[in-house]
Amino acid sequence: MIQETLTVLNRAGLHTRPAAMLVKLAAKFKSDIYLNRDGYDINAKSIIGVMTLAAEQGSELILTTEGTDEQDAMTELKALFESGFGEL
Amino acid sequence: MSQFDRIKTIQKENISVNQLLSSPVQLTTVVGGEGLENLIQDKNLHRPQLALAGFVDLFTYHRVQVFGNTEIYYLQSLKASDRIKAFEKICEFAIPCIILTNNHTLEQELLFILEKKKIAVFSTPFETTKTIFLLSDFLDDQFALQIALHGSFVDVYGVGVLLTGRSGIGKSEIALDLIERGHRLVADDLVMFTKKRESVLMGTGTNLSQHFMEIRGLGIIDVEKMFGIRAIRFQKRLEIIVELEEWNKNNEYTRTGLEEAPLNLVNVDVSSVKLPLFPGKNVTVITEVIALNYLLRTYGYNAAKVFADRLQEQINVRRLHKSSTHDQRLVSYFQSDDE
């Protein structure tokens, strides 16, 4: 299991389009992937779940990946967060 | 790849004058004979007012010529000899046929000229405007672009849904399931679509297949006989195409439904949904939901958009108030009845 804290960088926050990007990317991996905010563990492969986070710019989310491809999942998802979902 | 990439269109180049008799303007033949074999190559109509007056430079003679009050009274206002002259002039052209509105007739000698020139003449009880409206619509349909698509076409809650996908994926079975749930089959397997006006595709079955369908392992069944008249309809506008395919992890499927990717068929945009299949998935129910969601969108409610807007609103609130411990519950306090 890998855990890392990621920050939402883009101004608009984790709105619908970035949420969809995140979910599509997460769904490619076999690992279980969770995002945690305020104690809620949310399945990163669920669009409604990810949108429920309503993560604004600057908010911090704990990403957990667990499974055979947990390292790849973490690397790629981290890169997506760092790219500001293509909105920087 | 998919059948939509290689659509063949069918369009009539001409129809025989004879076929006008099946139009809704209740034509009676005044002069028939060989003229009935003439070919109509244009869906437009023409009123030959100026041609009768002698100006034939731009005379669109190849169209169906409609004689209304203007033409008839103009001819009556002429001397008998001039009338014949005017008529002989326009009869030099290969007119396919003439339609007299308001039950008008022409003098015997004029009809004789027309008969000699093999020009068919009909009369209709309708007035000119109505005749032109009805005939244009009829000819529009006769000359309309047609395409044949492979799939099951079902009316689901009044929405025309075409189920497509490779042979054997289960289109007919889903159609059957939909029929069982009270929806109506338009056609199975081969569906003929006709372009109506500029933005509508109307679908119907073929003469032969009607409401017969093949179910794998069972053979051919007759849906109308089996489920009754409520299970079928003859035509329906195409509104959504549901493309069924085996679940493929490399294909991307929409997660929000915000992106719309309509399919363009003969310049008509048709909503489409790519539906991945896997065991245990109830495609029938999903198809119903697709139809209902289409209806909601048509009537102005887009769930994906409403959700996205709410999300945006919440993100904005959080950015302003920096409140991290938000209660995520829909109801913030459970009342004491514990129900």
Side-chain angles (χ1 to χ4, degrees):
Chain A
M1 187 183 80
I2 316 176
Q3 229 171 28
E4 218 164 312
T5 302
L6 303 172
T7 312
V8 177
L9 298 176
N10 58 318
R11 197 175 171 282
L14 202 48
H15 63 97
T16 316
R17 199 190 62 89
M21 283 172 82
L22 185 107
V23 168
K24 276 184 184 170
L25 181 58
K28 286 187 179 147
F29 298 103
K30 287 201 182 74
S31 301
D32 290 330
I33 304 172
Y34 294 96
L35 281 165
N36 186 303
R37 181 184 199 197
D38 304 335
Y40 294 101
D41 243 345
I42 274 157
N43 188 338
K45 297 178 185 181
S46 142
I47 183 77
I48 297 276
V50 172
M51 296 207 290
T52 304
L53 291 171
E56 75 281 8
Q57 185 182 28
S59 58
E60 293 188 333
L61 307 171
I62 304 161
L63 179 68
T64 312
T65 60
E66 184 171 15
T68 49
D69 50 5
E70 56 186 35
Q71 191 54 57
D72 292 343
M74 178 56 79
T75 315
E76 290 198 32
L77 286 167
K78 198 175 160 186
L80 184 66
F81 269 82
E82 282 166 358
S83 75
F85 305 97
E87 289 183 359
L88 288 184
Chain B
M1 235 178 80
S2 101
Q3 61 171 331
F4 302 114
D5 300 331
R6 41 176 172 76
I7 289 175
K8 282 203 193 95
T9 58
I10 310 152
Q11 192 163 27
K12 286 184 199 166
E13 279 178 5
N14 52 52
I15 62 168
S16 76
V17 166
N18 239 327
Q19 284 168 274
L20 288 183
L21 289 168
S22 60
S23 76
V25 285
Q26 303 168 17
L27 296 178
T28 43
T29 312
V30 180
V31 174
E34 284 180 62
L36 293 177
E37 309 299 321
N38 290 343
L39 296 178
I40 302 169
Q41 291 160 336
D42 195 327
K43 65 176 177 179
N44 297 304
L45 305 172
H46 186 244
R47 292 193 63 181
Q49 298 158 345
L50 282 173
L52 285 172
F55 182 74
V56 289
D57 282 8
L58 298 169
F59 183 30
T60 46
Y61 59 87
H62 57 281
R63 295 181 180 166
V64 172
Q65 305 293 323
V66 180
F67 279 49
N69 288 339
T70 323
E71 286 82 0
I72 298 291
Y73 295 140
Y74 171 71
L75 285 172
Q76 282 174 9
S77 76
L78 298 177
K79 280 192 299 183
S81 58
D82 290 343
R83 190 152 52 227
I84 289 171
K85 221 181 275 170
F87 235 79
E88 277 175 336
K89 186 151 191 184
I90 68 160
C91 288
E92 281 167 22
F93 296 90
I95 296 171
C97 69
I98 288 174
I99 291 172
L100 308 168
T101 64
N102 295 310
N103 272 330
H104 280 304
T105 50
L106 290 171
E107 287 171 293
Q108 209 49 53
E109 46 197 327
L110 299 182
L111 293 178
F112 186 66
I113 298 172
L114 291 165
E115 194 169 4
K116 223 169 56 187
K117 290 284 184 183
K118 293 169 190 156
I119 298 171
V121 182
F122 304 101
S123 79
T124 163
F126 292 102
E127 57 177 50
T128 314
T129 332
K130 194 86 188 162
T131 307
I132 289 177
F133 174 75
L134 292 171
L135 259 187
S136 297
D137 201 50
F138 175 78
L139 288 173
D140 216 34
D141 178 66
Q142 289 291 320
F143 285 101
L145 210 58
Q146 292 187 359
I147 53 175
L149 293 177
H150 184 69
S152 297
F153 193 35
V154 188
D155 168 344
V156 184
Y157 295 124
V159 179
V161 179
L162 178 69
L163 300 155
T164 67
R166 68 155 177 79
S167 182
I169 202 163
K171 302 179 289 289
S172 300
E173 287 75 6
I174 297 163
L176 203 55
D177 212 11
L178 285 165
I179 292 164
E180 186 78 313
R181 296 170 68 99
H183 304 292
R184 300 164 74 189
L185 179 75
V186 185
D188 188 61
D189 205 45
L190 186 65
V191 196
M192 305 294 301
F193 288 99
T194 306
K195 188 170 174 179
K196 206 173 172 195
R197 278 170 253 121
E198 287 311 302
S199 56
V200 174
L201 286 173
M202 292 295 291
T204 180
T206 58
N207 263 336
L208 175 70
S209 70
Q210 289 192 359
H211 298 96
F212 288 88
M213 67 165 33
E214 188 214 342
I215 297 294
R216 292 291 149 95
L218 193 64
I220 289 167
I221 61 165
D222 182 343
V223 171
E224 185 178 356
K225 270 273 180 300
M226 203 174 264
F227 298 94
I229 192 71
R230 68 121 185 110
I232 60 146
R233 64 179 292 169
F234 284 93
Q235 57 169 5
K236 181 76 191 89
R237 174 181 179 173
L238 175 61
E239 283 158 303
I240 307 179
I241 294 174
V242 176
E243 294 177 79
L244 304 167
E245 55 184 39
E246 275 99 357
W247 168 259
N248 179 345
K249 69 178 167 63
N250 296 321
N251 279 10
E252 289 223 332
Y253 300 98
T254 182
R255 297 296 297 261
T256 57
L258 279 178
E259 323 79 352
E260 279 174 46
L263 280 169
N264 190 287
L265 303 178
V266 290
N267 277 329
V268 178
D269 276 343
V270 184
S271 300
S272 84
V273 178
K274 262 199 178 56
L275 205 61
L277 297 180
F278 33 81
K281 187 157 172 170
N282 190 335
V283 186
T284 311
V285 173
I286 295 172
T287 308
E288 286 184 330
V289 169
I290 289 170
L292 290 173
N293 204 34
Y294 175 86
L295 284 178
L296 275 179
R297 286 184 185 200
T298 307
Y299 288 102
Y301 184 89
N302 184 333
K305 185 153 184 334
V306 171
F307 199 103
D309 292 346
R310 289 165 64 115
L311 170 61
Q312 194 63 62
E313 208 176 297
Q314 197 160 12
I315 290 175
N316 292 343
V317 167
R318 289 191 178 193
R319 197 166 50 201
L320 289 174
H321 301 299
K322 292 282 170 216
S323 55
S324 58
T325 47
H326 244 73
D327 198 332
Q328 296 272 10
R329 292 181 298 177
L330 175 60
V331 175
S332 54
Y333 167 66
F334 286 114
Q335 290 169 346
S336 56
D337 62 357
D338 289 349
E339 194 183 328

